Amino acid sequence: CELVLDNIEQDFFIETPIHTFTLPNFSVYPDDFRQFLEKDLMAVSTQQSLEQANRLNWWTSVCQRLWPLSTSGDGNCLLHAASLGMWGFHDRLLTLRKSLHAFLSQSPRLEALWRRWRRQQSALNSQAGLVYSEVEWRREWNAIVSMASTEPRLRRPSIASDHSGEIAGAVYESLEEIHVLALAHVLRRPIIVVADTMLRDMNGEPLAPIPFGGIYLPLECSPSECHRSPLLLAYDGGHFSALVAMDTPADSTVVLSSAIPLVDASHDLLPIQFSIDPGDREDYGEKLELSQPDCVGLLKEYLDVLTIDLHEGEGLAKNLGKLGSIGKSVGQKLRLKLTRSNSQRGSKPTGILCAQLHTDKRHEYHDAMINNYLHTARLRFNQQQDQLVRTSYSCSLNLSIIVRVLSGFTM
């Protein structure tokens, strides 16, 4: 996948076709190998945490289930997750991180991002009783730009990190919400982050808000210049993961929409992060807010917004309950009615406001990469099974020897 900086605009965008990585259908494999693939590829703890919080896959009666992929935790997880979500591989060469840092350092659009960030951060500071001076504001912004640098924060001892033979060593600064917004501009593509709203202790008691969840639109780019299929990420435990769909079984009797809700399980609209540019207002737009119709209108400018009828989906959910493990199909066809959104605030929801996903757009090496992975995964699985057999035989042999020895003492 060849990535080049846009030299025409000198605006530090990455020129790349719209690609979306999709997992193959795992239901065609035996349960033991399927479970091996799940453990190898999925961020299981992230999935369990977000599903239990009712933030992820509450929509599986009407929209496709989504799966968080295991993503390297070296401080570059935001860019790794974005790369995995588009192409299926990590940002090992720091291509995305370099572009992100260049955008935040030199793009003529960075002043607009600064204003959007300052307005949103001011609201958070106000809640915490903090007041920054102008020097402190600029110092904070300079720190944000510096965080995106490709210079490692520290270097760990270089050791082989996994079966792929890649070397672990560099650890980078973790990134924040404004970096997600900047990345949406670099890619000229909306980003949706699925996250819980509150950090909780072991007893489930709230400790602090989690501000990452929501919709990030490339608002400083013309919608006509942007891809309309959003990039999906999960955020849990201070870590980003790619969020991807899975190919539908060819013989499936269920048709679920390739879409993601723009509302939560209570049908409240997800927050549009950094949605207001306060311009040159001295108070940085402290009291400015977008109405819900304004928010929906803004979403329609950058996304293919649809309303998915709930009635048949609710009937299906009553009959079948929550969908189970990977690839388990259900027994009746669900026909979804897709109409252009025209929801009214205060009325009882009859549909889910969603953004359409173009999962058919894949890079040319997608299938070859998947086939190569499955081949190597099968070899590793067979080696694991052989090792289990040898271990089991060794344990049985040792037990047999012990029994014989003990029998000799009793005779």
Side-chain angles (χ1 to χ4, degrees):
C1 180
E2 184 179 357
L3 306 178
V4 295
L5 290 180
D6 187 338
N7 293 320
I8 298 176
E9 296 184 1
Q10 290 292 321
D11 219 358
F12 313 100
F13 299 123
I14 284 187
E15 282 299 312
T16 177
I18 182 170
H19 289 142
T20 300
F21 181 75
T22 305
L23 288 168
N25 172 26
F26 286 172
S27 67
V28 299
Y29 301 109
D31 284 348
D32 53 356
F33 185 50
R34 176 178 57 79
Q35 292 168 5
F36 175 86
L37 293 175
E38 290 180 25
K39 185 177 179 181
D40 198 45
L41 287 176
M42 307 299 185
V44 178
S45 62
T46 294
Q47 181 175 342
Q48 291 175 343
S49 175
L50 293 179
E51 287 185 347
Q52 289 172 3
N54 210 26
R55 307 302 300 184
L56 176 65
N57 290 329
W58 57 266
W59 55 75
T60 51
S61 63
V62 290
C63 295
Q64 283 186 316
R65 178 178 290 270
L66 298 174
W67 309 91
L69 298 182
S70 294
T71 306
S72 179
D74 59 0
N76 197 41
C77 60
L78 169 60
L79 291 316
H80 286 322
S83 184
L84 281 166
M86 292 185 291
W87 305 303
F89 51 80
H90 285 74
D91 185 36
R92 302 292 188 196
L93 300 179
L94 303 181
T95 303
L96 293 180
R97 195 174 186 107
K98 290 173 186 174
S99 299
L100 179 65
H101 186 247
F103 182 86
L104 285 170
S105 302
Q106 306 169 49
S107 170
R109 305 174 192 233
L110 66 87
E111 278 299 321
L113 263 66
W114 143 264
R115 294 191 300 268
R116 292 178 183 276
W117 166 79
R118 176 163 174 172
R119 177 193 171 276
Q120 187 154 311
Q121 188 62 43
S122 294
L124 296 176
N125 287 357
S126 178
Q127 295 173 11
L130 298 176
V131 178
Y132 286 171
S133 67
E134 287 300 319
V135 172
E136 288 172 323
W137 276 116
R138 284 296 172 181
R139 185 183 299 138
E140 287 293 313
W141 179 256
N142 290 339
I144 281 172
V145 175
S146 180
M147 285 179 193
S149 169
T150 56
E151 187 66 26
R153 174 166 55 88
L154 59 88
R155 293 186 182 276
R156 299 175 295 197
S158 295
I159 56 174
S161 61
D162 55 29
H163 58 79
S164 67
E166 291 172 347
I167 302 301
V171 178
Y172 302 92
E173 291 286 354
S174 298
L175 302 180
E176 301 183 355
E177 307 98 282
I178 188 61
H179 298 105
V180 183
L181 180 67
L183 180 61
H185 286 77
V186 168
L187 300 175
R188 285 183 282 197
R189 182 175 185 177
I191 297 175
I192 297 177
V193 178
V194 176
D196 200 353
T197 57
M198 192 66 63
L199 179 67
R200 303 178 188 278
D201 63 16
M202 296 179 60
N203 298 318
E205 295 298 320
L207 293 175
I210 300 175
F212 279 94
I215 305 163
Y216 297 78
L217 301 175
L219 294 166
E220 298 304 320
C221 301
S222 169
S224 63
E225 300 173 348
C226 300
H227 301 305
R228 300 186 67 81
S229 181
L231 177 64
L232 309 181
L233 305 177
Y235 181 83
D236 180 65
H239 183 68
F240 285 98
S241 303
L243 201 55
V244 300
M246 183 178 293
D247 285 338
T248 304
D251 59 349
S252 176
T253 56
V254 176
V255 178
L256 296 176
S257 178
S258 293
I260 183 170
L262 298 173
V263 296
D264 61 20
S266 300
H267 296 271
D268 293 325
L269 198 64
L270 297 176
I272 303 176
Q273 299 279 14
F274 307 98
S275 58
I276 294 177
D277 179 359
D280 57 1
R281 290 178 175 83
E282 291 185 2
D283 64 352
Y284 278 86
E286 181 180 345
K287 297 181 180 180
L288 293 178
E289 295 293 342
L290 292 181
S291 66
Q292 177 147 328
D294 289 337
C295 289
V296 173
L298 194 58
L299 292 173
K300 288 182 179 180
E301 289 187 36
Y302 287 90
L303 298 163
D304 292 327
V305 177
L306 303 166
T307 298
I308 299 181
D309 196 326
L310 281 173
H311 296 304
E312 291 188 43
E314 289 175 349
L316 183 65
K318 289 178 182 177
N319 292 329
L320 302 171
K322 189 176 180 180
L323 293 182
S325 61
I326 292 178
K328 301 297 183 183
S329 60
V330 291
Q332 74 181 65
K333 187 171 183 179
L334 173 63
R335 299 184 182 276
L336 299 176
K337 301 176 182 178
L338 302 180
T339 60
R340 290 294 173 186
S341 169
N342 188 25
S343 59
Q344 295 181 353
R345 192 174 186 178
S347 61
K348 184 177 180 180
T350 59
I352 300 177
L353 195 70
C354 296
Q356 187 175 359
L357 305 176
H358 301 294
T359 56
D360 57 323
K361 307 294 185 181
R362 307 176 186 182
H363 69 75
E364 57 182 320
Y365 301 113
H366 180 277
D367 292 343
M369 184 170 61
I370 289 291
N371 291 335
N372 181 65
Y373 165 76
L374 290 173
H375 173 71
T376 58
R378 174 62 75 176
L379 293 177
R380 289 187 288 111
F381 172 73
N382 290 339
Q383 291 173 355
Q384 183 185 83
Q385 295 300 105
D386 291 343
Q387 180 63 39
L388 288 174
V389 170
R390 287 194 296 269
T391 302
S392 177
Y393 175 76
S394 177
C395 291
S396 298
L397 184 61
N398 291 337
L399 181 60
S400 176
I401 292 173
I402 293 172
V403 169
R404 289 181 182 180
V405 171
L406 292 177
S407 298
F409 281 115
T410 58
M411 291 180 62

